[in-house]
């Protein structure tokens, strides 16, 4: 495929799915300005590395991967990303008291570690298939399924605890 054709396909994909990519970026940073910065940086990265894409038919998944990585890099750079170890996860799922009075799904999602949050967003908010998600986060499908179920379980525990406390 010619370089010009690859650039045209990239631009077409960005144009067609820009709302999806923006929504994904926004889900990480929670504000328009930062989400737009992530979008701009992601597009720049995609344009620079378009020649590295092996299968032009998977350009949408490739762009999702760039947006996810750029958002995570942004959070790390701005120290807004909290990485949790297994002990912290056990603590979270063991019945701790939550400081929110009226927790909703958005707040519960914000509490999830990024490795679970990413998969839940891509699966349920972006409606991607498990194999697409596996490609985006560069993990095997079984790992994606395990993280999806673990993330959903953490969400359920968090939301159930709040319902019981009210």
């Amino acid at each position: 495929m010619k370089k010009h054709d690859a650039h045209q396909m990239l631009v077409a994909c960005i144009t067609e799915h820009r709302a999806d990519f923006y929504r994904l970026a926004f889900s990480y940073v929670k504000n328009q300005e930062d989400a737009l910065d992530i979008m701009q940086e992601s597009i720049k990265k995609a344009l620079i590395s378009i020649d590295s894409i092996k299968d032009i038919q998977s350009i949408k998944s490739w762009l999702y991967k760039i947006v996810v990585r750029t958002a995570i890099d942004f959070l790390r750079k701005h120290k807004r990303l909290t990485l949790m170890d297994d002990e912290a996860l056990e603590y979270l799922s063991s019945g701790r008291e939550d400081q929110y009075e009226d927790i909703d799904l958005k707040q519960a999602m914000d509490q999830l570690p990024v490795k679970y949050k990413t998969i839940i967003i891509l699966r349920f908010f972006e409606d991607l298939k498990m194999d697409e998600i596996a490609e985006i986060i560069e993990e095997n499908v079984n790992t994606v399924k395990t993280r999806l179920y673990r993330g959903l379980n953490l969400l359920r525990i968090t939301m159930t605890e709040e319902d019981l406390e009210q």
Side-chain angles (χ1 to χ4, degrees), residues 66-140:
I66 292 172
V67 173
V68 167
R69 287 181 175 172
T70 304
I72 291 171
D73 288 347
F74 180 91
L75 292 172
R76 283 187 180 127
K77 188 182 296 180
H78 294 88
K79 309 235 186 285
R80 293 191 212 160
L81 181 62
T82 304
L83 299 177
M84 295 191 185
D85 59 17
D86 289 336
E87 278 184 41
L89 289 175
E90 287 307 315
Y91 174 71
L92 283 173
S93 62
S94 67
R96 65 160 174 73
E97 286 192 41
D98 201 305
Q99 65 270 25
Y100 297 103
E101 290 182 20
D102 292 318
I103 193 161
D104 62 8
L105 179 59
K106 181 177 169 256
Q107 290 171 318
M109 285 288 293
D110 288 346
Q111 294 178 15
L112 280 180
V114 72
K115 70 181 183 180
Y116 302 120
K117 179 179 176 179
T118 296
I119 293 171
I120 290 172
I121 289 168
L122 293 174
R123 178 67 189 103
F124 296 109
F125 296 91
E126 300 302 324
D127 201 29
L128 296 180
K129 294 178 173 68
M130 295 295 217
D131 57 334
E132 293 173 313
I133 297 169
E135 182 182 337
I136 290 167
I137 66 167
E138 295 181 337
E139 293 285 356
N140 67 48

Side-chain angles (χ1 to χ4, degrees), residues 1 5 9 16-17 29 37-38 54-55 57 61 63 65 67 78 83-84 92 97-98 104 112 147 149 153 156 160 165:
M1 176 173 283
D5 293 340
M9 288 185 74
E16 183 178 345
H17 299 287
V29 293
D37 287 347
I38 290 168
K54 292 172 179 55
D55 178 12
Q57 300 308 315
S61 294
L63 280 165
K65 184 187 305 185
V67 173
H78 294 88
L83 299 177
M84 295 191 185
L92 283 173
E97 286 192 41
D98 201 305
D104 62 8
L112 280 180
R147 288 183 185 172
Y149 297 128
N153 190 41
R156 182 188 56 77
T160 302
E165 289 176 9

Side-chain angles (χ1 to χ4, degrees), residues 155-166:
L155 274 178
R156 182 188 56 77
I157 290 168
T158 301
M159 297 191 71
T160 302
E161 286 176 1
E162 278 303 313
D163 290 341
L164 293 173
E165 289 176 9
Q166 292 179 4

